[in-house]
Amino acid sequence: MGALDGHRIVLGVTGGIAAYKAIEVCRRLVDAGAHVAPVMTGGAMRFVGRATFDALASETTQVSLWDEEHPVPHTRLGQGADLVVVCPATARLLADYRMGRSGDLLTATLMATRAPVVVCPAMHTEMWEQPAVQENVSVLAERGVTIVGPEHGRLAGGDVGAGRLADPVDILAAIDSILGSDGSTSGGDMAGLEVLVTAGGTREPICPVRYVGNRSSGKQGHALARAAAARGAKVRCVTTQPETAPDIIGVQVLAVETAAEMATAVLSNSATADIVLMAAAVADFRPVEVAGSKLKKADGTPEIMLEPTTDILAELGRNRSPGQVLVGFAAETDDLRQNATSKLESKGIDMIVANDVSASGVGFGHDTNAVLLLDRSGGATEVPLSEKHQVAAAVLDAALGCLHNARDAGGATGHGEDVNR
Ligand code: CTP
């Protein structure tokens, strides 16, 4: 059964070069079980052919208010939709939708629906940064429209900047979180939440050239940051790998290198976080002294004294904000469940995400992962080998479960305080 089984989705495509990526979104929606009705504007058809959507979608592509057999096509589409997604959305679409103009089938369909709407803007940086465009997006967001992206990256014509269409994976995650497997349409299920994510492995300098490090790539932490933003959360991502961190609206990236820098960044940004996801591999020890110049072989084998670093997660566990959910990660090679359970308890956290990094395709550097999620109430969920974005979705689902339990209980993990802020 697909996550979107039975849901009727209108896929609006407007005239930008990113229209070709809507083909991938269409395919993924259909793969997830959705019934997809494509609606293209005239501009979109200059970039991609309707035949492509006809072949992939669940029904024929509609392009005009006047062509369809149904006498009132926009109401058929708008009233029948469980969700409308516009991908990509041009500056003109944003302006028309904001103003309530309905000059073509897509804008008329947007007017004729009460279903949730997801808008994925894509345009050149200069256009995206125009105050008029920004205002249109803000007004739409205030009205409850979910805005996904844009990202920073390569644009048409070789330019680089903000304005690239969000990754189809993130667009699907946003749709998934709105429609959900239970059919509820609650909006991005992390809207209004603040999430702090750490990612990557810390590097503890020995000298200006060498460091003590580990093999973490930051991919799982970054996947969590992207997924949380796609679900509507305001995300801060403290990472040792800023060059591969999600460069998207909704994620603030804080670059760090050492365990001490990560501790400072996390502890000074955690007070308002609803969920903290400590996916980073933080060094437990660092060299006591950092040599001022490169250690030379000729000087003989160096003796490097190490000292413990701050256990950031344990520190958070001791001083957490009311209602906050703390999630730790455990990369193990033996006794996965036992080691994870003892970390869950010793650090005073709500949930732990454990993986056996000796298994094939799991953990460090891979695009896939397999994890065991354990929570304090004894809940255990196994996520089999999956793409890291799918693991991220499962981790966020479980963390949200912890958050809701804590709030239902009147405060997190024994604090007993009102958690509504
Ligand atoms: N962690 C942390 N600060 C540290 C070390 C780890 O916040 N100085 C966090 C990691 O981000 C992760 C969890 O703690 O979420 C991992 O727990 P830990 O027991 O420190 O794991 P290891 O360092 O792998 O411990 P061990 O070597 O004992 O397995």
Side-chain angles (χ1 to χ4, degrees):
M1 210 178 117
L4 297 174
D5 262 351
H7 287 297
R8 298 182 69 87
I9 296 180
V10 171
L11 170 62
V13 188
T14 68
I17 180 60
Y20 80 92
K21 293 189 188 166
I23 295 165
E24 173 73 3
V25 171
C26 181
R27 189 189 61 76
R28 284 177 182 264
L29 288 171
V30 170
D31 285 353
H35 177 102
V36 180
V39 175
M40 296 176 78
T41 63
M45 287 194 295
R46 289 177 177 266
F47 288 96
V48 284
R50 61 186 288 183
T52 312
F53 288 97
D54 286 347
L56 291 171
S58 318
E59 54 181 78
T60 316
T61 307
Q62 302 303 323
V63 299
S64 162
L65 275 163
W66 311 107
D67 279 354
E68 222 194 3
E69 258 175 47
H70 193 285
V72 206
H74 56 299
T75 54
R76 178 187 77 83
L77 288 160
Q79 290 171 350
D82 295 315
L83 182 142
V84 180
V85 53
V86 184
C87 166
T90 55
R92 183 158 75 171
L93 181 284
L94 296 171
D96 284 350
Y97 187 25
R98 184 250 171 111
M99 294 306 291
R101 292 197 193 102
S102 54
D104 61 15
L105 180 58
L106 178 56
T107 47
T109 301
L110 286 166
M111 292 298 107
T113 194
R114 293 201 173 118
V117 175
V118 175
V119 167
C120 312
M123 62 200 74
H124 254 74
T125 312
E126 294 82 350
M127 296 175 78
W128 172 245
E129 290 177 352
Q130 280 298 324
V133 172
Q134 289 298 309
E135 192 184 302
N136 290 338
V137 168
S138 304
V139 169
L140 291 173
E142 275 163 27
R143 291 178 188 160
V145 173
T146 301
I147 310 291
V148 183
E151 295 187 356
H152 188 281
R154 254 192 81 154
L155 305 167
D159 292 341
V160 174
R164 189 174 67 175
L165 184 74
D167 192 306
V169 167
D170 296 326
I171 296 170
L172 264 285
I175 293 170
D176 214 21
S177 75
I178 292 169
L179 292 176
S181 49
D182 61 355
S184 61
T185 53
S186 56
D189 61 354
M190 299 188 83
L193 295 181
E194 279 191 34
V195 173
L196 179 61
V197 189
T198 64
T202 62
R203 291 185 284 271
E204 310 303 324
I206 297 169
C207 70
V209 176
R210 300 184 178 90
Y211 59 82
V212 178
N214 61 68
R215 298 173 58 198
S216 172
S217 63
K219 285 182 181 175
Q220 188 62 75
H222 293 167
L224 285 160
R226 301 175 80 92
R231 291 166 72 155
K234 180 178 160 202
V235 179
R236 285 198 186 93
C237 179
V238 179
T239 178
T240 63
Q241 311 284 339
E243 56 293 336
T244 53
D247 198 353
I248 55 176
I249 311 299
V251 178
Q252 184 190 356
V253 175
L254 305 168
V256 296
E257 191 169 322
T258 64
E261 288 169 8
M262 185 166 278
T264 303
V266 170
L267 298 174
S268 61
N269 282 290
S270 60
T272 55
D274 298 283
I275 299 174
V276 181
L277 301 155
M278 278 295 301
V282 188
D284 291 325
F285 300 96
R286 66 168 161 246
V288 175
E289 279 175 21
V290 181
S293 51
K294 187 183 173 192
L295 298 182
K296 301 300 286 179
K297 213 167 16 202
D299 297 334
T301 308
E303 281 191 15
I304 300 168
M305 283 292 293
L306 300 176
E307 63 184 2
T309 58
T310 304
D311 188 325
I312 308 167
L313 194 52
E315 183 66 27
L316 289 172
R318 284 189 288 274
N319 298 302
R320 80 169 77 204
S321 299
Q324 189 171 65
V325 166
L326 300 178
V327 181
F329 288 69
E332 306 290 343
T333 54
D334 311 283
D335 302 327
L336 185 68
R337 187 178 280 251
Q338 195 184 318
N339 280 325
T341 306
S342 65
K343 284 178 189 176
L344 182 67
E345 279 159 16
S346 67
K347 292 180 190 248
I349 57 178
D350 305 285
M351 191 177 115
I352 193 135
V353 181
N355 59 1
D356 177 353
V357 288
S358 63
S360 156
V362 174
F364 297 140
H366 296 288
D367 291 324
T368 49
N369 208 352
V371 300
L372 173 66
L373 309 179
L374 301 176
D375 67 41
R376 276 186 95 70
S377 52
T381 309
E382 276 189 41
V383 183
L385 194 66
S386 323
E387 297 286 322
K388 281 187 170 167
H389 68 85
Q390 293 168 316
V391 172
V395 170
L396 293 180
D397 287 346
L400 271 182
C402 291
L403 189 71
H404 294 146
N405 288 343
R407 291 182 174 190
D408 289 348
T413 55
H415 290 269
E417 294 178 43
D418 182 1
V419 296
N420 295 322
R421 284 186 282 119

